[in-house]
Amino acid sequence: MSDLPTPETSPPPGETTPAPRSRARMLELVFPKDTNYLGTAFGGFVLSLMDKAASVAAVRHAGGAVVTARMDGVDFHVPIRVGDAVALDARVVRVGRSSMRVRVDVYREHMASGEQQLATTGFFVFVAVGEDGRPRPVRPLGEGLDTGSEEPDPEARP
């Protein structure tokens, strides 16, 4: 089930509400400057978006500064083309003492039809750091959320 606000659940203007913890969603358009000579998104462009989304999820979970320690298991399934939207869903799936493993699913969206297709998946590891730059502890994930799942969350499509 989606946790996005609906007109019935949206807060009144000016009222503050908490952001989702341990998760981030982003949407980005693909322009010619983001693509290679075949008109498909550069891998580095997609990785950069994934790192941004993952870091937002990690910062939200840690409640402070984090640094990227590792990215692994990145699989490019289908190309993303000029004019597509890139919809990213990042969620913290495992927590250690000071580290967090974040899964990022990237969907390519055909803007006119609204059809989405899983294009890229990957995992990132972040370490929470204090003001001194040294690792600091982070809270555990809520019960049932520490999954490390290798599968995308079909309910979380951006």
Side-chain angles (χ1 to χ4, degrees):
M1 176 158 251
S2 177
D3 58 354
L4 296 176
T6 64
E8 297 80 32
T9 63
S10 293
E15 185 176 311
T16 61
T17 59
R21 306 320 293 163
S22 310
R23 182 168 229 147
R25 295 178 180 162
M26 292 176 32
L27 187 66
E28 184 84 23
L29 295 176
V30 179
F31 294 101
K33 69 176 181 56
D34 306 317
T35 64
N36 60 28
Y37 59 91
L38 296 173
T40 61
F42 285 118
F45 168 71
V46 176
L47 288 173
S48 173
L49 294 176
M50 293 173 77
D51 192 30
K52 284 180 188 177
S55 69
V56 170
V59 166
R60 283 177 164 179
H61 182 82
V66 301
V67 293
T68 307
R70 176 182 179 151
M71 73 174 93
D72 61 7
V74 176
D75 295 309
F76 295 92
H77 307 292
V78 295
I80 300 170
R81 303 195 181 284
V82 169
D84 285 341
V86 180
L88 299 100
D89 178 48
R91 67 188 189 280
V92 177
V93 294
R94 187 163 293 142
V95 174
R97 189 186 78 74
S98 62
S99 65
M100 295 151 285
R101 182 173 167 90
V102 181
R103 179 189 170 97
V104 182
D105 295 315
V106 179
Y107 297 88
R108 80 171 181 186
E109 180 177 325
H110 184 266
M111 295 292 288
S113 69
E115 292 178 349
Q116 289 185 341
Q117 183 178 19
L118 185 62
T120 308
T121 56
F123 290 90
F124 293 72
V125 176
F126 289 85
V127 174
V129 294
E131 290 183 19
D132 60 358
R134 299 180 62 138
R136 65 173 178 79
V138 293
R139 65 183 171 86
L141 274 176
E143 190 165 328
L145 297 177
D146 194 358
T147 64
S149 175
E150 298 295 321
E151 298 300 320
D153 180 355
E155 298 294 320
R157 293 176 88 169

